[in-house]
Amino acid sequence: MAPRPRRSCVNRNDRSIVGLTMLAHGMVHTYELSIPIFIPIWLTQFDVVSLGPVEVAVTSATLGLLVTVGYGLFGLGALPGGVLVDRVGSRRLITACLVGMASSFLLLGLAPGLVAVTLAMVVWGVSASVYHPAGLALLSKGVEERGTGFAYHGIAGNLGIGLGPLLTAIMLLFLDWQTVAMVLAVPALLAAGYAVRARFDETAAVEAATDGGEGGDSKADAGVDSVAEFVSESRVLFAGSFALVFVVVMLSGLYYRGVLTFMPELLQGFPGFEPVPVASLLPAGLADAVGGSAGQTLSPANYVYSGLLMIGVLGQYAGGKLTDRMPVERGLALGYGLLGVLAVLFLPVANLGFVPFLAFGAVLGVALFVVQPFYQATVAEYTPAGTRGLSYGYTYLGVFGVGALGGAIAGAILTYANEQVLFGVLAVFGFLAGAIGVVLGRR
């Protein structure tokens, strides 16, 4: 039988899937990366965390642990989320994710102290945790041009990653942080409404492969029905090279969270990143007209942080396209090796001043995200379709669950050691991940 022609990502089913996953992915990362913008405010607004009779001083280490609770659940919940998506489908989980995230930021807006902030982070982490296994399983089974689908999906994530912190920083010029949190809840509620109405076939790509005589997968329509099968399928996954892929994604998560969690706070200590009074940027007459807002200060660190994340769109797009054109193992080796080098260079370049760091930050932003389509595609290549949700569940358990410890590690190092130690540790994470990419390629 002649090979069935591949469909483009412009057909109706592919448009629906890619559109929904882009929207939801953007929402997830809008909230995820807006949280570090609040950290400098929490450091100044709260002196202690009250735990009944015990009071704990608020430091970078304290807040590192606080955000690790939410970020950790974001990753830990990916594994049960992966099991669920193989049984109940992606649409329901994506809708529940969006509603839960909106609820968490409403709760954050009502939080009177850091204990309530932690509770809101818990709700966000649990809700957001199901997205990646649901969204990526949907793309891998429903869209035929998988690399291109991953690329558009990644672009949307980076728009959320960049625009979320940027809009948060802008709103904080005029509103208190709790009002900003409540405003941020609205887009996720609107996205949930769209998720309910969208129509698509979740397994179109798997069906097309089977119809085209490519053999199909014995697990294409399966999933995990019991604890025994969960254990059995997990053993099959980790008996092969997926075990090495899992180590790569853990190291990736540790690097990602370690470098980003305290970046706005960290950059404020370097030349050229000192807070600037808004009034000094406005003509005298306009400064008088806007009144109280002109008395606010603008933090260049927040906007550089947002720009660094937004330029990651280029990395996501390039990484997605390259997964269709080069071995994914080579992409892992090159991408993570570059991240190791950039960790070594971070402090010397930051000390050169604002302008040199802008160029460096652009390279770092691209490098942080060019690796993501590579490891996503690597998982798809090393796993069967029927347990794809489980596979991505393990993947994001590594990236965001184990990886969440990167925030706690960074906070502890900044509190008890110094920036040089932090970036030395991050360099080790990058070089180890790159070395594993070389090993996979040789296999």
Side-chain angles (χ1 to χ4, degrees):
M1 181 181 293
R4 181 170 177 155
R6 293 178 66 83
R7 293 180 298 169
S8 167
C9 248
V10 297
N11 70 71
R12 181 177 298 175
N13 192 71
D14 288 355
R15 281 201 306 270
S16 295
I17 290 175
V18 173
L20 174 60
T21 55
M22 287 177 68
L23 181 61
H25 195 206
M27 291 292 97
V28 168
H29 290 299
T30 290
Y31 299 121
E32 176 203 2
L33 274 305
S34 293
I35 291 165
I37 296 292
F38 293 128
I39 287 178
I41 300 174
W42 294 339
L43 279 169
T44 58
Q45 181 167 337
F46 300 110
D47 296 322
V48 297
V49 182
S50 298
L51 303 172
V54 179
E55 290 189 342
V56 180
V58 175
T59 64
S60 294
T62 307
L63 289 181
L65 288 173
L66 183 155
V67 298
T68 295
V69 172
Y71 286 150
L73 289 170
F74 181 29
L76 293 173
L79 185 53
V83 174
L84 282 173
V85 72
D86 287 328
R87 303 312 312 161
V88 306
S90 293
R91 181 203 305 275
R92 294 177 183 175
L93 291 184
I94 291 173
T95 304
C97 163
L98 292 166
V99 172
M101 290 192 302
S103 301
S104 72
F105 266 65
L106 288 173
L107 178 60
L108 186 63
L110 298 172
L114 286 181
V115 173
V117 169
T118 304
L119 178 59
M121 290 291 296
V122 167
V123 176
W124 177 82
V126 171
S127 302
S129 68
V130 301
Y131 173 71
H132 283 93
L136 292 170
L138 179 58
L139 284 168
S140 70
K141 293 195 291 186
V143 176
E144 291 186 22
E145 292 190 9
R146 190 168 58 203
T148 300
F150 282 148
Y152 284 116
H153 177 260
I155 287 171
N158 271 91
L159 288 174
I161 283 170
L163 290 175
L166 178 61
L167 293 175
T168 301
I170 291 172
M171 286 192 289
L172 285 170
L173 291 173
F174 309 100
L175 304 170
D176 63 85
W177 71 268
Q178 290 173 300
T179 302
V180 170
M182 298 185 75
V183 171
L184 287 172
V186 176
L189 289 175
L190 297 176
Y194 174 77
V196 172
R197 295 193 303 271
R199 295 292 178 265
F200 47 80
D201 179 354
E202 294 193 18
T203 60
V206 175
E207 293 166 359
T210 303
D211 292 345
E214 296 180 22
D217 193 311
S218 62
K219 292 285 294 175
D221 296 314
V224 175
D225 295 314
S226 65
V227 173
E229 190 174 358
F230 169 79
V231 173
S232 174
E233 294 297 334
S234 297
R235 284 176 177 170
V236 171
L237 285 175
F238 284 94
S241 294
F242 180 77
L244 289 176
V245 177
F246 185 69
V247 176
V248 169
V249 299
M250 285 193 298
L251 292 167
S252 182
L254 289 169
Y255 187 106
Y256 174 86
R257 197 65 71 199
V259 78
L260 292 180
T261 299
F262 289 95
M263 185 174 288
E265 177 71 14
L266 189 64
L267 287 177
Q268 290 181 13
F270 290 106
F273 288 93
E274 300 85 0
V276 178
V278 173
S280 68
L281 303 175
L282 300 175
L286 182 57
D288 294 336
V290 298
S293 297
Q296 299 287 337
T297 58
L298 184 149
S299 175
N302 287 342
Y303 299 94
V304 171
Y305 168 77
S306 299
L308 179 152
L309 295 171
M310 193 173 299
I311 205 168
V313 168
L314 301 178
Q316 286 278 10
Y317 183 79
K321 287 297 186 181
L322 286 172
T323 60
D324 291 330
R325 292 170 172 80
M326 67 184 293
V328 291
E329 298 86 356
R330 184 183 302 169
L332 296 179
L334 294 174
Y336 288 109
L338 175 60
L339 286 175
V341 171
L342 292 174
V344 172
L345 297 176
F346 188 99
L347 292 177
V349 176
N351 279 300
L352 292 176
F354 184 82
V355 174
F357 189 84
L358 288 182
F360 176 84
V363 176
L364 177 61
V366 170
L368 272 174
F369 296 100
V370 76
V371 296
Q372 292 188 5
F374 277 107
Y375 72 63
Q376 291 164 356
T378 302
V379 172
E381 290 191 13
Y382 279 76
T383 58
T387 52
R388 195 62 52 72
L390 176 63
S391 304
Y392 282 120
Y394 273 117
T395 298
Y396 285 92
L397 170 65
V399 173
F400 293 127
V402 178
L405 294 174
I409 291 169
I413 291 174
L414 291 173
T415 300
Y416 302 110
N418 54 46
E419 294 91 344
Q420 288 78 11
V421 175
L422 172 60
F423 285 96
V425 171
L426 294 176
V428 170
F429 293 156
F431 289 135
L432 280 177
I436 295 173
V438 173
V439 172
L440 287 170
R442 289 180 177 177
R443 285 187 171 189

